Amino acid sequence: MTSIDPAHPVRVDVTAGGAASTILIGDGIADQLPALLDLNGIGPRRFLVSSQNVWRLHGAQFQRVLGAVEPILLPDGERYKNLQSVSKVYDALIRAGADRGSALIAIGGGVIGDSAGFAAATFLRGITLVQVPTTLLAQVDSSIGGKVGVNHTLGKNLIGAFHQARLVVIDPLLLATLPRREFRSGLYEVVKYGMIASRSLFDLLVSQTKAVFDRNPSVLVPAIVESCRIKADVVSKDERESGLRRILNYGHTVGHALEAVTKYRRYRHGEAIAYGMLAAADLAVARGALAGREREALAHLIAALGPLPPVLDLPMGDVLEAVRRDKKVVNGRLHFVIAIAIGATMTIDDVTEEELVAVLSRMGLKS
Ligand SMILES: NC(=O)c1ccc[n+]([C@@H]2O[C@H](COP(=O)([O-])OP(=O)(O)OC[C@H]3O[C@@H](n4cnc5c(N)ncnc54)[C@H](O)[C@@H]3O)[C@@H](O)[C@H]2O)c1
Ligand SMILES: [Zn+2]
């Protein structure tokens, strides 16, 4: 990892599906939003989408820099990441006479980014999207890579599109108001990037855990930059997840199953992924693909970033069933990403039911 001055913005480029996307990361850059939009060729007709909660906390700051703009406000929470919220955005755009040259600026966490992003992908067959992510998870993950979409009552993220944001403005200072649990949930995704691609990022989290918790810019900003670089690199090589992009799903096979079994109520996303990463590490150790001490290093870091909500009471059968239903099963074979060392992964597609049962038992689940 290169050394980074938190006050000096870093630029990361993504090229995917013929579209170029620029990511800018720096403390305080939200205050330069108008200039950044101009410099990156975003036209003057700009519509903001945010959530009631985010706007209550940060609306005054954005109005100070953008003028007296009226955002389209969507209700907060995963259960509102649906077509009704998207419709609200369409209604406002149509009423205001938005056209093909208009740009939609999403200011919020992943729920706002995904819903507003889907509206931008589909309104008039696609208008310019700008993301200003305000949660750690959105800054390192959901705002990058062009996946946008909403939930259906029968399942999560069932409706969606690929639509790269033209510009992603990441200001880590916006995280100052983020509740501790949300912040920690995002950190587990940062751990994931360390596991799949960067030993130095992993080591930074281990050696500077307290500074990370304190949101100390000298550690937090480089951690966000490195995470964004990894995601941008993977997406640039494989936007549509035909191969390489799957490594971003490290920890997500079991993680998604835990979320589904608890109806998305018990865990924040990153917390479920933390369990999923441990399960993937156990599986790799059992196969002799990962050294036991690397698994212990991961377990240590996850514990240091904890606590995690309990998992012991979940019925093993339900979790197995949810794993089978997950979209990572292709032609009946379960794709599973394992780390073979901290910073290196491979995908396997021959995971047996017995192996899964073994790792879930080790996690403490009872059959
Ligand atoms: N598109 C992708 O590639 C991708 C990747 C990962 C996750 N996701 C999606 O992202 C969503 C989760 O995103 P999330 O974790 O950001 O959750 P979220 O958007 O629900 O935000 C979490 C909470 O934080 C609040 N919040 C946001 N910014 C804040 C701030 N600066 N200060 C204080 N509170 C703030 C929100 O109001 C909300 O209550 C899920 O729907 C998931 O499917 C998408
Ligand atoms: Zn994730």
Side-chain angles (χ1 to χ4, degrees), residues 76-108:
D76 243 303
E78 188 66 37
R79 69 182 181 288
Y80 295 106
K81 194 175 103 170
N82 57 27
L83 284 174
Q84 238 172 314
S85 293
V86 175
S87 254
K88 241 185 116 173
V89 178
Y90 296 147
D91 293 349
L93 292 175
I94 294 165
R95 253 187 263 116
D99 59 23
R100 286 237 169 81
S102 302
L104 206 63
I105 304 175
I107 303 177

Side-chain angles (χ1 to χ4, degrees), residues 35-302:
L36 297 176
L37 294 169
D38 291 344
L39 278 171
N40 286 278
I42 312 295
R45 301 216 63 194
R46 298 163 183 171
F47 295 87
L48 305 188
V49 180
S50 190
S51 81
Q52 276 130 3
N53 190 27
V54 169
W55 203 252
R56 181 175 53 77
L57 293 165
H58 296 281
Q61 178 189 352
F62 284 106
Q63 283 186 322
R64 193 165 10 88
V65 295
L66 291 167
V69 282
E70 274 309 314
I72 304 163
L73 289 183
L74 302 179
D76 243 303
E78 188 66 37
R79 69 182 181 288
Y80 295 106
K81 194 175 103 170
N82 57 27
L83 284 174
Q84 238 172 314
S85 293
V86 175
S87 254
K88 241 185 116 173
V89 178
Y90 296 147
D91 293 349
L93 292 175
I94 294 165
R95 253 187 263 116
D99 59 23
R100 286 237 169 81
S102 302
L104 206 63
I105 304 175
I107 303 177
V111 164
I112 296 301
D114 280 13
S115 323
F118 186 70
T122 47
F123 183 69
L124 301 176
R125 295 196 188 82
I127 60 171
T128 299
L129 172 67
V130 176
Q131 296 263 21
V132 184
T134 63
T135 63
L136 180 56
L137 181 117
Q139 295 197 342
V140 298
D141 192 356
S142 62
S143 67
I144 302 165
K147 280 192 188 175
V148 293
V150 293
N151 304 327
H152 185 274
T153 42
L154 295 178
K156 222 175 111 71
N157 292 333
L158 290 182
I159 303 155
F162 284 98
H163 190 62
Q164 297 290 338
R166 174 91 63 80
L167 177 68
V168 184
V169 176
I170 298 177
D171 182 350
L173 285 184
L174 292 171
L175 304 179
T177 51
L178 195 63
R180 218 174 150 76
R181 190 173 172 198
E182 293 295 341
F183 183 75
R184 288 194 352 249
S185 170
L187 279 180
Y188 292 116
E189 293 280 1
V190 179
V191 173
K192 178 195 77 178
Y193 290 117
M195 281 305 286
I196 62 174
S198 174
R199 171 106 223 182
S200 57
L201 175 58
F202 187 93
D203 290 345
L204 180 77
L205 296 174
V206 170
S207 63
Q208 304 282 344
T209 309
K210 184 173 182 307
V212 173
F213 270 142
D214 293 344
R215 307 179 201 191
N216 181 333
S218 67
V219 181
L220 183 58
V221 178
I224 293 173
V225 168
E226 181 76 353
S227 300
C228 290
R229 280 191 181 135
I230 294 168
K231 179 143 190 195
D233 184 49
V234 170
V235 170
S236 296
K237 290 176 181 148
D238 174 25
E239 184 193 31
R240 305 267 159 157
E241 201 165 319
S242 47
L244 181 66
R245 190 165 178 166
R246 287 203 192 111
I247 73 169
L248 299 173
N249 291 330
Y250 181 65
H252 284 57
T253 307
V254 168
H256 280 159
L258 297 179
E259 288 185 283
V261 165
T262 53
K263 304 200 160 43
Y264 299 91
R265 292 204 190 106
R266 182 182 297 187
Y267 307 104
R268 293 300 301 151
H269 174 67
E271 295 170 340
I273 299 319
Y275 279 118
M277 290 191 288
L278 285 172
D282 282 339
L283 198 143
V285 170
R287 284 191 169 209
L290 177 73
R293 62 171 191 288
E294 305 268 86
R295 190 257 175 219
E296 289 318 306
L298 172 66
H300 245 104
L301 179 56
I302 287 174

